[in-house]
Each structure stands twice: as structure tokens, then as C-alpha cells.
Amino acid sequence: MDTQLKDNLKENVLIATGTLTGFALIKSMTQSKTLATMVCMGLLALSGFIFFLMKMAN
């Protein structure tokens, strides 16, 4: 199989399953330390906010 054809097939499968954005984010995070740091900090902030809301609800 041609390399371009394989790439197109992979892209079509990712689009069909709805995981293209997640795959693209992970691929970009492996290339950029800044993006990886920002995503980690965002996840920490989001989890802290959810924890805070759960504590306030009790």
C-alpha cells in the first residue's frame, strides 16, 4: 500500500470513530513541552475545582 493511502485510511478511521481531535492533541503534546504543561495545569485546575465543588456540596 502507498504511504499516502495508509495515512488517508487512518485519518478516515479516526474521523469515523470521533477520536481525531484527541489523537491530534496527543500528537501535538508530544512535540510541544509548553502545550503538554498547559494541558496538565488545566487538568489539575479542573480537578481541583471539581473537588472544591464536591466539598462545598457536602
Side-chain angles (χ1 to χ4, degrees):
M1 264 190 172
D2 182 65
T3 306
Q4 182 67 26
L5 183 60
K6 284 183 182 179
D7 288 342
N8 286 343
L9 182 61
K10 287 179 188 177
E11 186 175 323
N12 288 339
V13 168
L14 290 172
I15 289 172
T17 58
T19 57
L20 183 62
T21 53
F23 179 75
L25 177 65
I26 291 171
K27 186 176 178 183
S28 295
M29 285 176 59
T30 60
Q31 297 174 354
S32 172
K33 291 180 186 177
T34 306
L35 179 61
T37 304
M38 288 173 57
V39 169
C40 289
M41 294 298 284
L43 288 174
L44 282 173
L46 181 64
S47 62
F49 182 64
I50 290 172
F51 179 71
F52 169 73
L53 289 177
M54 290 178 69
K55 284 296 229 179
M56 292 301 289
N58 287 335

